Amino acid sequence: MAERILMNEFKALAKEQWVNIELQNEDIFNWTIGLIVLNPDSLYYGGYFKAAMAFPSNYPYSPPKFRFLRPLYHPNIYPDGKLCISILHSPGEDAMSGELASERWSPAQRVESVLISILSLLDDAEVSSPANVDAGVLLRKSPEEYKETVRKCVEASKADIPDGYEMPTHESTSMTAPKIKDDDSDFWAESDVDDDMFGGSGSDQEEIDSDDYEEQDDDDTGSDEEPLGKK
């Protein structure tokens, strides 16, 4: 079931201009992703933000893991590339953080909604309890310096653009931002993918080994601050 759902999602996202996706070693449970910001007013416009996404064998009942592979300076992104965002937290309410079940992962979510939430987070940072304290402080106290640091990250990210890949721009597409479709009633319909096409869960993938990801609900900062999220 997880393989069929993921292949349906992969096929749908492969048609989009704001994301470039590949399977790692033909493993449907491990994706390499290039996120592309098409909004010209965004600080992150023009960047190619490479990331890894790993899916559990019981997807979509448990959330995927996401990590940027190149350091990205942002209040809600840890130095190792992991995110502090509610949609990647396990299903159900969390009394400790105050997150509602509707803000966290649910089986109704899919990869597209995760990626759209991440794109939204880039330009709408939560600085009250940042994952990257330095970035949070700089954004509050010296926004122009923060913008310059982000611009450097955007330029550095262009080194990850795959050979032969033509970057979409605001001028080359009528779409400025991805949108979640209102009606996904038939999205989970089984595809014609051969059940035996992908035989493993991808747990042995070194690039995005699930052991490299800590449970997103944990407070990775080691402090007593409340975890972020609610994007």
Side-chain angles (χ1 to χ4, degrees), residues 11-20 112 165 175 178-179 181:
K11 287 180 177 179
L13 283 171
K15 302 174 183 178
E16 300 290 346
Q17 292 181 296
W18 54 274
V19 63
N20 182 38
E112 183 184 42
Y165 179 75
M175 182 180 66
K179 294 179 180 172
K181 300 178 180 64

Side-chain angles (χ1 to χ4, degrees), residues 60-94:
Y61 298 104
S62 294
K65 307 293 184 182
F66 183 97
R67 178 168 61 89
F68 285 108
L69 297 179
R70 179 182 290 274
L72 186 56
Y73 197 75
H74 188 280
N76 305 122
I77 300 175
Y78 292 102
D80 64 359
K82 295 177 187 176
L83 293 174
C84 193
I85 188 170
S86 297
I87 197 172
L88 291 177
H89 294 170
S90 298
E93 294 186 3
D94 183 0

Side-chain angles (χ1 to χ4, degrees), residues 3-5 7-8 11 188-195:
E3 292 175 358
R4 292 193 185 99
I5 290 172
M7 181 52 72
N8 279 346
K11 287 180 177 179
W188 302 113
E190 291 187 1
S191 70
D192 57 359
V193 178
D194 188 337
D195 288 345

